[in-house]
Amino acid sequence: MAQALYRRWRPQRWENVIGQDHIIQTLRNAVAADRVAHAYLFAGPRGTGKTTTARLLAKAVNCLEPDLANRPCDACENCLAVNQGRFLDMIEIDAASNTSVDDVRDLRDKINFSPNVGRFKVYIIDEVHMLSPAAFNALLKTLEEPPAHAIFILATTEVHKIPATVLSRCQRHEFRRIPHMEIVEHLQRMSAGEGLEVEDAALQLIARQATGSLRDAISLLDQLASANEQVSLERARQVLGTVTSQAVVDLVDYLIHKDTAAGLELIHRTLDSGSDPRQFARQIVDYLRSLLLSKLGNANQVDATAEIRERMAKHAQAIETSHLLNMIRAFNQAGNEMRSGWQPALPLEMAFVEVMEQSAGSGEEERKLPDAKPTRPTRRAVVKIPMEESPPTGVPEIETTVESRSVNPVDQESRETYEKIQQSWDPAIIKQVDGINKETAGLLRSTKLLGMRRGVLIIGFYGQILKQKMEAGNHLEITEKILTEFIGRTVPVRCLALNDRQSEIPADVDLDGMVAAALRDLGGKIVDVH
Amino acid sequence: MNWNLLGHEWAVEMLRGKLQRSQPGHAYLITGPEGVGKRTLGLRLGAALNCLTPVVPGEPCFTCRNCRLIERMQHPDLSVVQAEEIGGTLKVDQVRELQRQLSLAPYEAAYRVALLLRFEEAHPSAANALLKMLEEPPARVIFILTAENAERLLETIVSRCEVLRLRPLPLALAMQGLQERWGIPPEQATLLAHLANGRIGYAVRLHQDGDFLDRRERWLDDLMRLLPANRVERFSYAESQSRDRAALRLLFGIWLTFWRDVLLVSGGAAVPLTNVDREAQVRLLAERLSLKEARQMVSRIEEALFALDGNANTRLVLEVFLLDLPVLQALPI
């Protein structure tokens, strides 16, 4: 029975370890200078080379090669013994199967005997996060001051489960995920070495799927490999259940053009042809993320062909950032949905329809707002006040229905004034204030302009303390004076304290009205507007 | 020949290729929804590995002693490890016992096969205990793990295995298979294939569970009856259905497929429906409700199922759902 590729290609020399130069260099130097520490901790995600490096280090310290810098030589008696797994002084312990304190006591009893053949006894404790707390504690003394001939190497994927007392006794090395390109290059070398024919695009897909874990990538290649056939992108896609990038682009197209029917049919078609719904959702998220990146001006971080880039630019223009975020959220959730036994396609369909609803909602509002403003009819808002703040009469929830006085028809003049202030608030007005009183200017910088009601300018502070400070000294007077100079007439100023909830007071709610009071002072929440 | 399986040709072909070159991988993870054929594929792989008189290399005969014993899960070199019951926990002691067995050479077959079923039910310490052996097993040991989906396992487990993601069969193939292999009449086969969404094993299980179709019929009728009903009637229905949690889960499952159909139709998609026999009702509802309302009903049912998993009061869950159910005038059924 042939060994799996990832075992056959386990690096046997320092040079062959991929993507962990920062660690390998340190360890090589330590071996060359004969200054190897007595305890190491290797941490990092799966398939990044922890066990491999641990074995290499064990090999290096026991190698017989006279030139220290050249160890391990991979040719001497000891090196060969390690390669074949029959070296007596490299003790590899599966901490996940030997978790108990008795196992550690056993280790402690035996560690004092000197090595059989090599210079050092190397204890590799793999999956060390599974040791019981008692076992960790039993190890502490030995780990701190082991006999001169012993070296500990602990390896784990879950470093947060290791007690601090163990961490502080070890030299800790963090293994990184292996960059995409290095995986591809390594796979190319391997397939050449194994005589496999692999399409370049398939390698790219494999590497992307592996998300930085070399073992994942090699496993996949192993699975796809077959002696007489080329590994094609088509085959890789079928095994992985990924969809073509065209399908993803089309789906986003339908989202933008609000074509529900076509979108749902596309989802059905892709899944029917054998794609995995989770993979599909993830690919959509991936694409949307690229859109987000290119929208935020980081287009060069996106790894795509010129053709797709062009489509992307078009899409990026058609979607608003906030909507894009919503889409990413919805599809991300679909990708993580665990329970989908009944209807595998359902999470995707739901995400699609939800996004559609949101875009329809926001679109309507945009259209409604501008022309609805001047003649808004009297509206009633239902405010729900959370339970903990309701009076202790046992009534769980109070629904107050209040008439929010319709917004005073904002007279032209005051709106113009507000716009003028808004434009020159920061820095022009604040700068003038700064000339008179620096503290006032400082306070004003941490405010938010909320609006103008009946000729009174309303500014909001993030917190009660700032608001009180503003009202305490002559800060208001200074501000009003500057504003008067600026506008040409008296503009009174009112302060409000905002907290995160209050910042949600919609623009059309009268700040003095009962709705605002319920929102601000009672911690209510608008649940419905009639 | 396809290992006497229905569908999953690509997986069989890949595995057979490896066997023909006698390079089987040492660990496979077979994933897919319930009843899609994971265990069957695992057993067939075991048979293909150990068949004494293969028809052609990599194609088991299904008649020799090894093939028959493995198919019945009685072969001495086949270790089946699973949680004691569905929804239970696979314990670390079971894994340790398995490791002990696997360190011995095969008794009579070429390979020792360790079949670990529903591995998402493994206790974290059990999964961790398997890691080292899964990476570098003794010679002539093959691990076959099955799980509903790979995300529910430790990353470190998945990365050591070759993953085969089984997917439901195309509906046409499932229908044909149900008719030919299990002798189910065409009409029923069509319905079962749709209900099981192409999961052949699940469809057969539904078929064998004699009164499932009757119950489904009743539940969908109930739903139709409840739509125009007032609160009193709805609440008395909730009371009558709240005794049996498992049945309630199934009921919500059926309703979920129904409302998804409504969602698809009201979205205008030309996609095959799950409840093919109820198409008229689905269309009627889709006409009366908006896409958003249909979507909300699906969400409500998902929430209800989630609540049921979380051990919520069954009657309360059903009552809440029925309160959210829109009130419609009687449908001409």
Side-chain angles (χ1 to χ4, degrees):
Chain A
M1 170 172 148
Q3 277 193 337
L5 279 183
Y6 68 75
R7 288 170 68 189
R8 234 180 307 157
W9 283 77
R10 212 187 256 293
Q12 301 296 355
R13 302 198 52 139
W14 292 125
E15 298 84 68
N16 301 341
V17 181
I18 312 283
Q20 308 295 354
D21 298 335
H22 58 297
I23 295 167
I24 300 303
Q25 197 54 47
T26 316
L27 295 180
R28 281 182 92 154
N29 291 347
V31 171
D34 201 16
R35 292 170 61 92
V36 178
H38 64 261
Y40 289 91
L41 174 70
F42 292 167
R46 82 232 124 88
T48 47
K50 297 177 296 296
T51 309
T52 303
T53 311
R55 287 188 193 162
L56 272 174
L57 184 61
K59 212 155 104 171
V61 293
N62 282 314
C63 180
L64 300 175
E65 164 81 30
D67 180 8
L68 284 178
N70 205 16
R71 291 181 177 183
C73 64
D74 208 24
C76 69
E77 179 64 23
N78 287 355
C79 284
L80 291 178
V82 171
N83 286 355
Q84 289 160 12
R86 57 178 172 82
F87 188 67
L88 284 175
D89 293 322
M90 186 183 87
I91 300 133
E92 198 167 327
I93 300 169
D94 174 10
S97 301
N98 306 294
T99 56
S100 71
V101 66
D102 285 333
D103 297 313
V104 172
R105 291 208 180 114
D106 184 49
L107 179 153
R108 240 180 22 182
D109 290 341
K110 289 181 184 158
I111 198 169
N112 287 317
F113 297 108
S114 32
N116 288 293
V117 276
R119 247 178 94 207
F120 290 101
K121 249 184 160 168
V122 184
Y123 283 86
I124 300 177
I125 309 183
D126 217 346
E127 319 298 344
V128 69
H129 58 271
M130 289 307 289
L131 282 183
S132 70
F136 269 125
N137 287 328
L139 194 61
L140 284 179
K141 285 300 278 182
T142 323
L143 197 59
E144 184 164 17
E145 294 177 340
H149 59 258
I151 295 176
F152 279 100
I153 307 176
L154 316 183
T156 179
T157 45
E158 296 177 52
V159 75
H160 56 273
K161 286 191 183 163
I162 312 289
T165 43
V166 169
L167 291 181
S168 81
R169 282 165 170 82
C170 299
Q171 219 181 76
R172 176 168 162 185
H173 292 279
E174 296 278 351
F175 284 69
R176 297 189 191 135
R177 284 180 192 276
I178 299 161
H180 178 85
M181 272 330 287
E182 291 194 33
I183 294 186
V184 173
E185 279 164 24
H186 186 68
L187 291 180
Q188 274 165 350
R189 270 197 302 279
M190 265 182 54
S191 39
E194 291 283 325
L196 300 170
E197 272 185 57
V198 190
E199 255 181 43
D200 206 42
L203 281 188
Q204 297 277 356
L205 178 63
I206 292 173
R208 210 169 309 131
Q209 206 66 100
T211 57
S213 161
L214 197 57
R215 183 176 48 219
D216 282 28
I218 302 178
S219 277
L220 251 174
L221 181 68
D222 200 0
Q223 188 175 1
L224 294 169
S226 98
N228 36 23
E229 239 180 284
Q230 196 194 28
V231 177
S232 62
L233 181 63
E234 196 48 47
R235 195 179 156 115
R237 213 175 255 155
Q238 194 182 27
V239 169
L240 288 170
T242 55
V243 303
T244 55
S245 43
Q246 187 59 42
V248 177
V249 174
D250 283 349
L251 192 84
V252 175
D253 247 356
Y254 296 143
L255 275 176
I256 292 172
H257 298 123
K258 305 203 168 62
D259 192 344
T260 319
L264 290 175
E265 279 163 25
L266 176 73
I267 292 175
H268 171 76
R269 232 181 9 254
T270 8
L271 299 195
D272 218 32
S273 66
S275 302
D276 186 64
R278 258 184 223 93
Q279 282 285 356
F280 193 14
R282 244 168 261 160
Q283 281 175 281
I284 297 169
V285 172
D286 237 23
Y287 181 77
L288 293 175
R289 177 177 164 270
S290 321
L291 284 188
L292 189 68
L293 282 180
S294 66
K295 241 182 137 55
L296 299 178
N298 288 328
N300 49 354
Q301 278 184 26
V302 178
D303 153 48
T305 59
E307 187 190 344
I308 294 204
R309 245 172 230 271
E310 203 177 303
R311 287 290 284 273
M312 234 178 226
K314 253 184 232 156
H315 280 164
Q317 270 186 350
I319 313 176
E320 293 209 10
T321 312
S322 63
H323 187 40
L324 195 55
L325 284 174
N326 280 335
M327 286 161 83
I328 293 179
R329 239 170 252 140
F331 282 103
N332 195 27
Q333 205 190 346
N336 291 329
E337 188 67 62
M338 289 300 175
R339 305 164 302 111
S340 53
W342 272 96
Q343 304 275 339
L346 192 60
L348 261 180
E349 290 162 354
M350 293 287 278
F352 184 80
V353 174
E354 255 167 64
V355 168
M356 217 57 124
E357 275 169 22
Q358 282 166 359
S359 71
S362 69
E364 269 164 37
E365 234 147 73
E366 272 162 32
R367 262 175 284 128
K368 233 188 257 165
L369 276 180
D371 50 2
K373 231 174 199 169
T375 53
R376 193 183 292 281
T378 305
R379 303 205 302 171
R380 281 157 68 233
V382 176
V383 182
K384 260 198 189 151
I385 294 162
M387 238 203 277
E388 68 265 27
E389 284 173 36
S390 66
T393 48
V395 188
E397 230 168 13
I398 307 171
E399 273 206 2
T400 39
T401 308
V402 276
E403 299 267 318
S404 73
R405 259 166 287 162
S406 63
V407 182
N408 290 0
V410 190
D411 54 313
Q412 199 59 28
E413 199 189 348
S414 123
R415 186 192 288 179
E416 271 170 22
T417 318
Y418 180 61
E419 273 167 14
K420 207 164 153 195
I421 295 175
Q422 215 174 4
Q423 274 161 19
S424 46
W425 178 254
D426 197 7
I429 293 177
I430 293 186
K431 214 170 203 172
Q432 283 197 33
V433 175
D434 204 15
I436 300 172
N437 187 332
K438 287 214 185 309
E439 201 185 338
T440 315
L443 280 167
L444 289 181
R445 280 200 188 93
S446 57
T447 58
K448 186 174 164 192
L449 287 177
L450 290 180
M452 195 121 183
R453 315 266 163 170
R454 293 183 214 104
V456 180
L457 179 71
I458 299 164
I459 53 180
F461 285 87
Y462 295 100
Q464 203 66 37
I465 299 172
L466 287 173
K467 180 197 163 204
Q468 280 164 2
K469 245 191 182 162
M470 182 76 187
E471 284 167 342
N474 57 350
H475 302 305
L476 275 178
E477 286 153 38
I478 294 169
T479 317
E480 276 168 14
K481 197 176 130 218
I482 297 291
L483 279 173
T484 314
E485 280 173 25
F486 210 85
I487 305 296
R489 66 180 175 86
T490 331
V491 181
V493 178
R494 252 194 71 193
C495 304
L496 276 181
L498 304 164
N499 61 29
D500 42 3
R501 240 187 267 159
Q502 283 149 12
S503 58
E504 282 168 20
I505 299 180
D508 54 335
V509 170
D510 189 349
L511 283 174
D512 298 321
M514 281 168 73
V515 177
L519 286 174
R520 194 171 50 234
D521 302 324
L522 300 173
K525 208 168 154 188
I526 293 189
V527 292
D528 201 356
V529 178
H530 298 291
Chain B
M1 285 292 280
N2 205 29
W3 289 4
N4 214 4
L5 276 170
L6 214 57
H8 311 311
E9 288 89 357
W10 58 273
V12 172
E13 192 191 318
M14 205 160 63
L15 293 172
R16 196 196 289 132
K18 297 259 170 185
L19 292 185
Q20 278 164 356
R21 280 173 288 118
S22 53
Q23 290 181 346
H26 64 258
Y28 289 96
L29 170 64
I30 307 177
T31 65
E34 185 193 345
V36 79
K38 304 183 289 290
R39 191 187 61 185
T40 315
L41 179 65
L43 287 174
R44 297 286 154 82
L45 174 60
L49 280 165
N50 286 325
C51 179
L52 296 171
T53 54
V55 190
V56 289
E59 188 68 52
C61 63
F62 296 113
T63 50
C64 72
R65 177 185 147 80
N66 278 354
C67 282
R68 277 181 293 130
L69 285 179
I70 287 178
E71 192 69 22
R72 273 183 275 152
M73 299 206 277
Q74 287 170 348
H75 197 282
D77 287 321
L78 173 74
S79 320
V80 180
V81 179
Q82 56 180 324
E84 273 173 14
E85 50 183 354
I86 293 178
T89 312
L90 198 158
K91 301 195 179 71
V92 65
D93 288 336
Q94 289 174 282
V95 171
R96 296 216 174 114
E97 170 62 21
L98 176 73
Q99 284 179 325
R100 202 190 55 74
Q101 282 174 20
L102 293 183
S103 55
L104 307 173
Y107 180 68
E108 55 177 328
Y111 293 98
R112 256 188 197 278
V113 178
L115 186 60
L116 293 111
L117 299 175
R118 303 194 307 277
F119 201 67
E120 71 268 16
E121 288 170 359
H123 190 267
S125 61
N128 274 295
L130 194 66
L131 283 177
K132 287 297 274 183
M133 192 172 250
L134 194 59
E135 178 161 26
E136 298 183 338
R140 298 207 287 161
V141 167
I142 307 262
F143 280 98
I144 303 173
L145 280 61
T146 73
E148 206 172 294
N149 78 59
E151 274 85 43
R152 287 177 65 180
L153 305 182
L154 288 181
E155 278 189 338
T156 38
I157 291 272
V158 180
S159 122
R160 282 159 170 78
C161 302
E162 295 184 20
V163 187
L164 299 167
R165 292 183 178 79
L166 298 192
R167 297 176 277 266
L169 305 184
L171 290 178
L173 184 62
M175 279 187 260
Q176 192 194 343
L178 285 173
Q179 288 176 36
E180 286 173 7
R181 293 204 182 189
W182 282 275
I184 299 172
E187 199 175 316
Q188 215 180 350
T190 313
L191 182 59
L192 283 174
H194 276 91
L195 283 179
N197 240 305
R199 293 172 291 158
I200 197 86
Y202 194 73
V204 172
R205 222 170 302 153
L206 291 184
H207 175 65
Q208 283 160 354
D209 174 9
D211 67 337
F212 171 80
L213 285 179
D214 294 340
R215 279 197 287 171
R216 164 180 172 274
E217 202 71 10
R218 212 167 53 235
W219 283 331
L220 286 178
D221 285 342
D222 288 345
L223 181 62
M224 290 297 115
R225 207 165 40 74
L226 287 169
L227 277 170
N230 61 25
R231 278 186 198 168
V232 179
E233 291 170 66
R234 289 180 176 196
F235 276 20
S236 71
Y237 180 75
E239 193 184 356
S240 71
Q241 293 296 324
S242 58
R243 309 249 183 279
D244 185 351
R245 184 175 292 266
L248 194 61
R249 280 188 52 88
L250 212 52
L251 175 142
F252 272 120
I254 298 285
W255 285 2
L256 182 68
T257 60
F258 184 81
W259 281 106
R260 171 174 174 261
D261 286 348
V262 176
L263 175 80
L264 290 177
V265 172
S266 97
V271 168
L273 302 184
T274 308
N275 297 284
V276 266
D277 54 335
R278 299 270 174 164
E279 192 175 337
Q281 287 170 1
V282 169
R283 293 207 178 278
L284 219 58
L285 271 178
E287 262 170 43
R288 296 206 185 178
L289 298 172
S290 69
L291 181 64
K292 185 170 179 181
E293 282 168 314
R295 205 269 303 157
Q296 277 169 346
M297 287 325 291
V298 177
S299 300
R300 294 281 174 280
I301 296 180
E302 284 191 322
E303 281 160 22
L305 280 168
F306 182 72
L308 283 179
D309 283 345
N311 206 22
N313 183 320
T314 48
R315 187 169 157 193
L316 197 58
V317 171
L318 191 51
E319 281 174 359
V320 167
F321 173 75
L322 290 177
L323 280 178
D324 288 332
L325 193 69
V327 180
L328 297 174
Q329 277 162 22
L331 295 166
I333 297 171

